[in-house]
Amino acid sequence: MLHSGSSKFSSPASPLPSHELKILQEFIHHQNVQIIGEINPSRRKEIMLSNFFKSHKNQTVKIKIQCREEQKVILAKTDAVGRDFVILTSLLTKYWIPFRAIETAEQPYDQVNIPHQQHQQVVYDEELKQNILLKFGKTVSQKDYLKQQFFEQTLAGHIRSLIKNKINVETNVSRIRGKLMDIKEHEIQLRENGTCSSVKWMDVLWIEKQRFI
């Protein structure tokens, strides 16, 4: 520790300048991700996509999904990243997209993005701190942003928050509209105008919901 009168300053984490250290840390992280993907090839795509979206949080990304006879392009901002899916938001629409459905993901060269800031202003909430320490399960389960912070939910787990909401489900066969009624292990169930329908999880290319309806 470095001392200056009554002030105390922690020693720097590295002899490198901060901008060089940040570049080095990012390089090491990407190398580690590559190694993990090589060790576990069955999860390589999932790991690489998860790393990409986390490094582009709140930034505009472009993804491509093969949907029936055409390639669907979605241009939207990364909202949240789950264990096996990403949430993207555009001005009017929110998308839940499983990693397995994504063919390519990239940052558009013609979009102006604000880089993710490592240092952010934090509003300290003493009551929230106490609730997390003393009632962790109850406190976190009541707030979506806390669940995203502490757990990487699966798509099936996260979509439960949309029950009774009207959604669109895109598959390789058709586009299904309706109110989300139930979530099963292998399928989701919707109802529209008194007619019930079910969609197998493996057939889901993406789920979307209008943001202001």
Side-chain angles (χ1 to χ4, degrees), residues 111-138:
Q111 293 290 319
V112 177
N113 284 305
I114 301 174
H116 181 66
Q117 297 296 321
Q118 186 176 10
H119 303 288
Q120 299 181 19
Q121 184 176 5
V122 177
V123 177
Y124 189 76
D125 189 332
E126 181 65 33
E127 183 180 357
L128 176 60
K129 175 190 172 184
Q130 290 298 319
N131 286 336
I132 290 176
L133 288 173
L134 301 176
K135 308 172 188 176
F136 180 83
K138 181 179 180 181

Side-chain angles (χ1 to χ4, degrees), residues 48-192:
M48 298 298 289
L49 285 172
S50 176
N51 181 63
F52 170 79
F53 289 119
K54 285 178 180 177
S55 66
H56 290 80
K57 189 75 181 292
N58 299 320
Q59 296 184 18
T60 301
V61 296
K62 181 168 83 172
I63 69 166
K64 294 180 181 179
I65 302 173
Q66 190 63 36
C67 181
R68 296 188 279 281
E69 301 301 320
E70 63 180 9
Q71 197 172 54
K72 168 71 173 181
V73 176
I74 296 177
L75 191 68
K77 287 191 176 183
T78 306
D79 190 345
V81 184
R83 191 182 309 170
D84 57 356
F85 73 103
V86 64
I87 301 175
L88 303 181
T89 57
S90 64
L91 180 61
L92 299 175
T93 309
K94 192 167 188 174
Y95 302 89
W96 288 259
I97 308 169
F99 289 150
R100 57 170 174 74
I102 298 174
E103 289 199 340
T104 64
E106 61 183 311
Q107 184 174 33
Y109 69 89
D110 58 346
Q111 293 290 319
V112 177
N113 284 305
I114 301 174
H116 181 66
Q117 297 296 321
Q118 186 176 10
H119 303 288
Q120 299 181 19
Q121 184 176 5
V122 177
V123 177
Y124 189 76
D125 189 332
E126 181 65 33
E127 183 180 357
L128 176 60
K129 175 190 172 184
Q130 290 298 319
N131 286 336
I132 290 176
L133 288 173
L134 301 176
K135 308 172 188 176
F136 180 83
K138 181 179 180 181
T139 303
V140 173
S141 66
Q142 291 175 342
K143 303 287 186 180
D144 282 342
Y145 76 92
L146 290 177
K147 286 188 284 187
Q148 293 171 11
Q149 182 76 21
F150 288 100
F151 306 106
E152 285 193 343
Q153 287 184 298
T154 62
L155 178 58
H158 187 88
I159 289 299
R160 289 190 179 278
S161 63
L162 295 180
I163 286 181
K164 302 298 183 181
N165 281 261
K166 289 186 177 181
I167 61 174
N168 296 321
V169 181
E170 197 76 43
T171 75
N172 260 324
V173 177
S174 62
R175 181 179 179 88
I176 302 163
R177 299 177 176 85
K179 183 181 290 186
L180 181 61
M181 302 305 297
D182 199 5
I183 296 173
K184 304 290 186 181
E185 182 179 358
H186 300 293
E187 65 181 25
I188 58 177
Q189 297 179 345
L190 301 96
R191 185 173 66 195
E192 178 74 0

Side-chain angles (χ1 to χ4, degrees), residues 8-42:
K8 296 181 180 180
F9 303 94
S10 58
S11 301
S14 167
L16 295 173
S18 59
H19 65 282
E20 291 184 14
L21 177 60
K22 183 176 181 181
I23 293 172
L24 177 61
Q25 289 173 332
E26 289 179 354
F27 173 77
I28 292 173
H29 175 68
H30 286 301
Q31 290 299 308
N32 288 337
V33 169
Q34 291 281 354
I35 292 170
I36 293 171
E38 291 172 2
I39 294 173
N40 193 349
S42 64

